Amino acid sequence: MSRLTAAGAGAASQAGRDVAPGQAPKRTPMRLALNDITDGMSRRWLWSAMAWQDVMQRYRGSLLGPFWLTISTAIMISTMGVLYSALFKMEIGEYLPFLTLGLLAWNLISTLITDGCQTFVAAENIIKQIRLPLSTHAFRLVWRALIIAAHNFVVYVVVLFLFDVPVGAVTLLVVPGIALVAANGIWVALLLGMLCARFRDIPQIIASLIQIAFFMTPILWKPELLGPNEYLAHLNPFFAFVDLIRAPLLGQAPHAMSWVVALAVSAGGCALALALFAKFRSRIAYWV
């Protein structure tokens, strides 16, 4: 009963922001959802501080903090690089940068998806006790993932000095690539956050699908290995986002199809997430 009461209070507080006492609702659910997102975006000081606090708490008492994840990533990349370069009969100097950037991009993308399942569930206490835009928790999640990815970026810097990785003007294309990945992380956090708050077995399904997608995406292997079926790799949305980050850092322009697929996924995903967020936003406090 106490949980239902708390949930009701949280929902009522959200509703209180939408409709003034004694007045009929004047704004549509879509408008309210858009206001929630814009209001959440404007509170950068809040969700950035919350993201930093998440990182600090996760590695509290650790000597190296999040750099432990960087070290484990470096060890995994070095061992896998030696093994798979031999299996694919590629020069280690060519394959290791390819693998490094592929794994770094994949870690960011997979983190946004898996953590997105807990967007609202993990913020249960805040949602039920404090009146905040629900989108704040999505921005918090994306910023936290970018902070961790920045720590792992040290591995790329080491590879850059050890191998002949070209750096030029094309490298700057990584900026819009990461920005597009982060933007997609917001709608993923909202969409999966709602679904997983309502259906608690979805995170396990998502985790299984992510493992399958990892091997189906050109992370360990190059699309050219598919021969005449190479176009299938370019239709993979996961590869599209990986390519937007990996290719510029390798001194190459991303494939044109990667931009097309990534922008199409972005448009479709944003539309779907916004529609569902507008419809079910008021129920999230009860679901968590």
Side-chain angles (χ1 to χ4, degrees):
M1 181 66 68
S2 60
R3 291 176 61 86
L4 291 176
T5 303
S13 66
Q14 291 294 331
R17 302 176 63 243
D18 303 338
V19 183
Q23 294 183 0
K26 298 181 180 180
R27 292 177 290 180
T28 64
M30 179 61 69
R31 185 62 186 173
L32 295 175
L34 290 173
N35 289 343
D36 186 294
I37 294 174
T38 55
D39 192 12
M41 185 183 302
S42 66
R43 300 177 184 238
R44 181 183 180 277
W45 61 271
L46 177 61
W47 45 260
S48 60
M50 295 170 69
W52 276 107
Q53 184 181 32
D54 289 341
V55 176
M56 297 294 291
Q57 288 183 343
R58 181 179 299 183
Y59 298 99
R60 177 179 296 177
S62 173
L63 294 176
L64 296 179
F67 284 105
W68 277 115
L69 181 60
T70 305
I71 293 174
S72 63
T73 302
I75 295 174
M76 180 180 65
I77 289 174
S78 59
T79 54
M80 292 179 63
V82 173
L83 174 62
Y84 282 94
S85 63
L87 291 177
F88 294 137
K89 302 185 185 307
M90 296 178 60
E91 292 291 334
I92 188 73
E94 175 187 357
Y95 181 74
L96 195 59
F98 173 86
L99 175 65
T100 299
L101 293 170
L103 287 176
L104 293 180
W106 176 261
N107 286 342
L108 172 60
I109 295 170
S110 62
T111 297
L112 291 173
I113 296 175
T114 54
D115 286 1
C117 295
Q118 305 299 321
T119 302
F120 301 121
V121 174
E124 174 185 357
N125 293 332
I126 298 177
I127 292 175
K128 291 180 177 179
Q129 298 179 28
I130 303 175
R131 188 172 67 181
L132 284 176
L134 292 174
S135 60
T136 302
H137 307 293
F139 291 108
R140 169 190 181 181
L141 181 149
V142 172
W143 190 247
R144 183 178 66 227
L146 290 175
I147 292 172
I148 296 176
H151 285 86
N152 291 337
F153 192 77
V154 175
V155 181
Y156 165 71
V157 176
V158 174
V159 171
L160 185 67
F161 281 99
L162 292 179
F163 301 97
D164 187 18
V165 180
V167 176
V170 71
T171 306
L172 296 177
L173 290 176
V174 72
V175 176
I178 293 179
L180 190 58
V181 170
N184 277 266
I186 296 172
W187 73 256
V188 167
L190 291 175
L191 179 61
L192 293 183
M194 288 185 293
L195 292 176
C196 295
R198 180 63 181 86
F199 305 102
R200 298 302 175 92
D201 52 350
I202 291 183
Q204 288 74 25
I205 299 175
I206 295 295
S208 299
L209 293 177
I210 286 295
Q211 291 181 349
I212 297 173
F214 174 76
F215 293 103
M216 297 293 292
T217 304
I219 305 295
L220 304 177
W221 47 278
K222 289 193 172 185
E224 293 81 2
L225 295 177
L226 293 178
N229 296 319
E230 180 182 346
Y231 70 94
L232 295 176
H234 294 287
L235 294 178
N236 182 343
F238 290 104
F239 173 70
F241 288 105
V242 168
D243 190 45
L244 294 184
I245 298 176
R246 177 168 58 186
L249 294 178
L250 288 176
Q252 306 167 4
H255 197 279
M257 184 58 67
S258 297
W259 288 108
V260 173
V261 173
L263 291 174
V265 170
S266 302
C270 286
L272 176 61
L274 183 59
L276 293 180
F277 188 58
K279 183 174 183 179
F280 299 112
R281 186 178 66 93
S282 60
R283 305 184 190 180
I284 294 175
Y286 295 95
W287 289 344
V288 297

